[in-house]
Amino acid sequence: MSLFRNKNFVVMWTGQLATIFGNRFSEIAIPLLVLQLTGSSLSAALVVVCSQLAPLLLSLPAGSYVEARSKKKIAMGADAVSFFTMLSLVVLVMINEVTIWTLAFALFVLGASGVFFRVSFVAMVPGVAGRGKLVEAHTYFEGADALSTLAGPVFAGLVLSAFGAVWALAVDAFTFFISFLGILFLTVSEKRREERREIIHWTGHFSLRGISLLVKNPLQTFVTFHQAVLSFTTTAITLTVIVYTSVVLDFSEWQTGVVLSAAGAGNLIGVFVLNKLSRLSWRVLYGGLMAISAAGIFLIMGSSHLFILSLGMFLFDGALSVAFVINGTARQAITPDSFLARVGGAGLLLGGVAAIGGTLFAGSVSEIIDPRAALGFCGCLLLFASIIAFTFKNGKRSVRELEPINLDE
């Protein structure tokens, strides 16, 4: 049965589509706001980092906290916090009272609510879609990301050019409200761990053990390494491309939006071919995807033409988006149900650290040296990850053949 005949899955997918579409507006609007206020790409990076600090601080406790409670209620609460925070930011921009400090605080709150939403959301996916359809579920979610990334940056650039940052941020706020309504109408049976008293002490050993679970066996370690690479490069490239096109090449907002939207086109193509690709051996699939993504970065680095830049983003994000799907599917496939929230929280911590590193790297290198230097490093990093993947001894099976591996002591 197609997952789109599953009402609960459709509700989750629609909410994701709306939220990601809105996020594409603020992802362009906020760095450009900071660049307008300060003229510094490093300042833009530091403000963006504030949204990534929350995963660093809260991922482990969030994973343990969510594991014993209603994931639906936590996801709804997180969406409500995100909606009102973004709405407050819209008002501040409207009355010309926004500063880099208010932007930084708002992004930190959004990052915190996003942690609890993502941990809850991901933990609900196997129960809604079924373990036998995890590849298809993550493919469809990546399709939502692709559609949003294809349309979002272009519309964001047009809205920014025509109406300003207020309306761009207002779109993001509205999509959080849509996501909240979607989760509200979700009907899902939730399984919770019985050891509630132990989980309540989520700042102690129980939550910290989630870190060790990420490297508990060779398959978890492989997924963990590539998750770090994916998180680092995607944040570094996004900010670097915004700085490169708007500051170095002096592109308009809509031209920057076109380049970023090309990533969505690549993402969409990747979704269409993913079902066939997922039958390849794990190491061949990862290795090839990382190599293609690196080629896209080198195209961006070597050109100032809109078409070539767009083609580079098409290749970069098309391959990287498929790698994200395979990575997320593999993590859930090899993780037992009772550990999903904790491993998911630890994974968010890892992704947060890598994302902060990528953002700070992109901002500092772009300002001190040149955006092309940051692009070159990321391309080389992906080539290194490609070599690691091709030589992975335990990667001979396809991701569809993976099964949960016991993580108990």
Side-chain angles (χ1 to χ4, degrees):
M1 183 183 74
S2 170
L3 283 175
F4 279 107
R5 295 181 183 178
N6 181 333
K7 181 183 76 71
N8 288 320
F9 181 80
V10 171
V11 167
M12 294 181 76
W13 186 88
T14 304
Q16 280 293 97
L17 177 67
T19 302
I20 298 170
F21 179 79
N23 289 346
R24 296 298 176 258
F25 280 70
S26 58
E27 284 173 3
I28 296 179
I30 290 177
L32 290 179
L33 268 175
V34 179
L35 287 172
Q36 290 171 9
L37 289 170
T38 66
S40 168
S41 58
L42 180 57
S43 296
L46 290 172
V47 170
V48 172
V49 158
C50 291
S51 67
Q52 299 160 349
L53 284 175
L56 186 65
L57 299 173
L58 299 175
S59 294
L60 289 179
S64 296
Y65 182 86
V66 168
E67 202 161 271
R69 291 164 176 83
S70 170
K71 284 107 180 138
K72 176 181 175 179
K73 291 180 180 179
I74 293 174
M76 288 173 58
D79 267 338
V81 171
S82 296
F83 169 72
F84 285 110
T85 301
M86 187 58 72
L87 191 61
S88 300
L89 197 55
V90 169
V91 173
L92 289 173
V93 175
M94 187 182 298
I95 62 176
N96 294 318
E97 292 294 332
V98 69
T99 66
I100 59 171
W101 297 108
T102 53
L103 285 169
F105 178 74
L107 286 181
F108 179 81
V109 175
L110 289 168
S113 59
V115 168
F116 283 92
F117 179 85
R118 286 193 297 274
V119 172
S120 303
F121 187 91
V122 170
M124 288 190 289
V125 171
V128 170
R131 282 193 169 272
K133 290 185 175 293
L134 282 178
V135 173
E136 288 81 358
H138 284 281
T139 300
Y140 287 138
F141 285 133
E142 191 62 29
D145 187 294
L147 291 172
S148 299
T149 304
L150 177 63
V154 170
F155 280 106
L158 292 173
V159 170
L160 280 166
S161 297
F163 305 107
V166 170
W167 284 100
L169 297 177
V171 170
D172 197 6
F174 180 67
T175 58
F176 281 122
F177 180 67
I178 294 177
S179 178
F180 172 85
L181 291 179
I183 300 296
L184 176 64
F185 291 109
L186 186 67
T187 55
V188 58
S189 176
E190 300 187 65
K191 295 180 180 179
R192 308 179 199 173
R193 289 179 66 94
E194 296 297 327
E195 55 265 61
R196 185 180 181 90
R197 290 181 178 271
E198 183 184 10
I199 293 174
I200 289 176
H201 301 289
W202 39 280
T203 57
H205 172 74
F206 188 80
S207 62
L208 291 175
R209 186 173 171 242
I211 298 176
S212 66
L213 297 178
L214 296 182
V215 291
K216 188 70 173 178
N217 54 62
L219 295 183
Q220 290 282 2
T221 302
F222 182 81
V223 172
T224 297
F225 169 76
H226 282 281
Q227 181 183 357
V229 172
L230 292 171
S231 298
F232 179 91
T233 53
T234 192
T235 53
I237 293 299
T238 299
L239 181 58
T240 302
V241 167
I242 291 175
V243 173
Y244 181 50
T245 55
S246 62
V247 177
V248 178
L249 301 181
D250 199 26
F251 278 13
S252 65
E253 289 92 343
W254 76 265
Q255 288 175 308
T256 297
V258 167
V259 174
L260 295 177
S261 286
N267 199 335
L268 199 59
I269 296 298
V271 167
F272 282 122
V273 301
L274 182 55
N275 278 333
K276 292 184 179 179
L277 292 177
S278 63
R279 301 182 187 280
L280 296 174
S281 71
W282 204 1
R283 62 185 182 185
V284 170
L285 181 55
Y286 262 131
L289 290 171
M290 295 299 182
I292 293 171
S293 191
I297 292 178
F298 291 132
L299 273 180
I300 297 170
M301 183 178 66
S303 178
S304 60
H305 297 287
L306 181 61
F307 175 77
I308 301 299
L309 288 168
S310 299
L311 178 61
M313 282 299 292
F314 175 88
L315 292 174
F316 163 72
D317 202 68
L320 210 69
S321 65
V322 176
F324 264 114
V325 173
I326 297 299
N327 194 76
T329 302
R331 178 76 82 189
Q332 288 193 329
I334 63 178
T335 304
D337 288 339
S338 58
F339 290 89
L340 282 172
R342 258 186 297 170
V343 170
L348 279 178
L349 172 63
L350 171 71
V353 172
I356 288 174
T359 301
L360 291 176
F361 171 81
S364 57
V365 172
S366 295
E367 181 162 315
I368 298 171
I369 305 176
D370 189 88
R372 284 171 284 242
L375 292 170
F377 176 84
C378 290
C380 292
L381 177 62
L382 288 175
L383 285 179
F384 174 71
S386 175
I387 295 172
I388 294 295
F390 278 125
T391 56
F392 181 51
K393 295 181 179 180
N394 294 317
K396 295 181 180 180
R397 291 182 295 170
S398 74
V399 71
R400 291 178 178 273
E401 298 172 315
L402 298 176
E403 296 178 349
I405 301 174
N406 184 30
L407 295 176
D408 287 313
E409 296 290 353

